[in-house]
Amino acid sequence: MIPACFRFSNIGCSLFVWMALAVPAIAQLPVPQLHSLSPIGVQRGNPVVMTVGGAELVDIRELRFSDPNIKASLQQNPADPLTGIVEPKWGNFDVQIPAEQPVGIYEAWVVSALGISNSRRFVVDSLPVLNDPGNNSTTATAPAITMPQAIAGKCDSAVIDYYRIDLNAGDTIQVECWAKQIDSRLTPLLSIQNAAGRDLTLSRGNDSVDPSLQFTAPAQGSYYVAIRDFLLEGGGNSFYWLRIQAGTAVSEIRPSIVKGGEQVAWKGIGSKPAATNNAAAETVEVSAGNLAIPGEPISWFMHPRIPWLRPSSVTVPLME
């Protein structure tokens, strides 16, 4: 005799067996994973071929963006000379970014036969872009920079990347590094060095803030923007985006608190180095403008693009 606790009706037993078999089958379905976008950024108005990489990216059909004004189309291979069949060039997309596209950081997803992937971030910039040449691990091989300049690069393990800037005495430049905020694993250590390899100013990032710095040349000569991984790891996921411009960096936006539904006159405040060693730094107005604040402001993660300005880490004297 079967104990009551083990008795099943035919219907109940069938349902139990079906559930036992069905749950593992559903759990084993592959999930599309987007690991990388190449390039990691682009100058607006310039078409670019974007390559995606990841896992379980089966039959990729679309590349979608957080702003619908950015369009992507799947590339096609040449027609087969015998059959005339045209096959897609899976994972490669022609991307069109309007010349008036707002500067900032955007999200991208791929749509495959298995569904929609996770998102990855990439940069739309207004500056011309220089790609890391890969052989700039010494000051002798550092490429010369003409400002303003954006740089897309990658840090290798225990290697320093150098970029040369020729400055006159009193010239001020600002350098901003993006890494963590564009999904990089890099913990950047950013510095300005002289020809002898000495760090003249230095800024280190962490898990929540990327580094930025301002530098005024004490004398005419060649100086070097140096970037390396603080943990000396590096690798394919240790990429960075640099923005190098002349002028005083913005360190504060005033007012810092505004009311929704109003037109606000804002100012970007920075500081110039003291004329003498004993004097205090001079506070200056770097930029200014007007901004319409929505009546019901939305959070940054609900916006189609991540805001350009970030408290206490801004070096770009603009507010688009």
Side-chain angles (χ1 to χ4, degrees):
M1 181 180 215
I2 301 175
C5 60
F6 290 104
R7 294 175 188 171
F8 294 95
S9 67
N10 291 336
I11 297 176
C13 184
S14 300
L15 179 61
F16 175 80
V17 172
W18 180 86
M19 292 177 64
L21 295 176
V23 171
I26 295 174
Q28 293 173 5
L29 287 176
V31 177
Q33 303 171 38
L34 179 60
H35 293 167
S36 64
L37 297 171
S38 181
I40 60 172
V42 63
Q43 184 182 18
R44 60 185 178 184
N46 292 337
V48 65
V49 176
M50 185 167 286
T51 303
V52 302
E56 307 296 347
L57 299 182
V58 179
D59 190 13
I60 303 171
R61 292 177 168 86
E62 296 180 59
L63 179 62
R64 296 182 183 176
F65 298 91
S66 53
D67 190 324
N69 290 322
I70 304 176
K71 309 290 186 181
S73 58
L74 184 62
Q75 285 193 331
Q76 305 294 318
N77 285 309
D80 186 280
L82 296 178
T83 64
I85 297 176
V86 177
E87 290 286 343
K89 195 173 182 181
W90 302 114
N92 296 271
F93 294 86
D94 291 316
V95 179
Q96 302 288 334
I97 300 177
E100 66 278 5
Q101 185 69 29
V103 174
I105 301 173
Y106 294 80
E107 304 275 346
W109 301 260
V110 292
V111 181
S112 74
L114 297 173
I116 301 177
S117 73
N118 59 293
S119 68
R120 300 292 290 184
R121 293 176 179 176
F122 78 105
V123 180
V124 174
D125 211 326
S126 59
L127 305 182
V129 180
L130 171 70
N131 291 315
D132 177 6
N135 62 345
N136 53 330
S137 58
T138 66
T139 55
T141 59
I145 299 301
T146 301
M147 295 182 291
Q149 183 76 69
I151 301 173
K154 174 178 67 70
C155 281
D156 295 321
S157 178
V159 172
I160 303 176
D161 286 353
Y162 292 95
Y163 302 93
R164 193 188 87 226
I165 303 178
D166 296 326
L167 301 174
N168 295 317
D171 286 350
T172 298
I173 65 169
Q174 50 184 284
V175 184
E176 184 171 16
C177 175
W178 292 358
K180 297 296 185 183
Q181 57 197 304
I182 57 173
D183 298 331
S184 174
R185 295 186 62 182
L186 178 68
T187 301
L189 186 61
L190 185 66
S191 67
I192 302 292
Q193 297 183 3
N194 59 16
R198 177 185 175 187
D199 286 332
L200 303 178
T201 184
L202 184 144
S203 178
R204 192 191 89 187
N206 54 46
D207 287 339
S208 59
V209 178
D210 286 327
S212 61
L213 54 82
Q214 177 177 306
F215 172 72
T216 299
Q220 183 179 8
S222 293
Y223 297 87
Y224 299 88
V225 177
I227 180 171
R228 56 192 179 274
D229 189 346
F230 175 72
L231 302 176
L232 302 179
E233 293 178 345
N237 291 323
S238 296
F239 48 85
Y240 57 83
W241 189 269
L242 294 180
R243 303 188 91 246
I244 305 175
Q245 298 185 97
T248 303
V250 174
S251 58
E252 179 186 355
I253 298 293
R254 298 177 183 174
S256 59
I257 300 175
V258 297
K259 183 179 179 180
E262 294 186 350
Q263 189 82 12
V264 176
W266 61 270
K267 295 180 180 180
I269 306 300
S271 61
K272 288 185 176 181
T276 62
N277 293 334
N278 297 327
E282 178 186 0
T283 300
V284 295
E285 180 181 315
V286 179
S287 55
N290 295 298
L291 184 65
I293 306 298
E296 296 181 0
I298 59 177
S299 301
W300 67 268
F301 55 85
M302 298 172 60
H303 201 274
R305 70 183 182 94
I306 299 171
W308 180 262
L309 298 174
R310 299 165 311 287
S312 303
S313 65
V314 180
T315 65
V316 184
L318 58 86
M319 194 168 183
E320 295 194 356

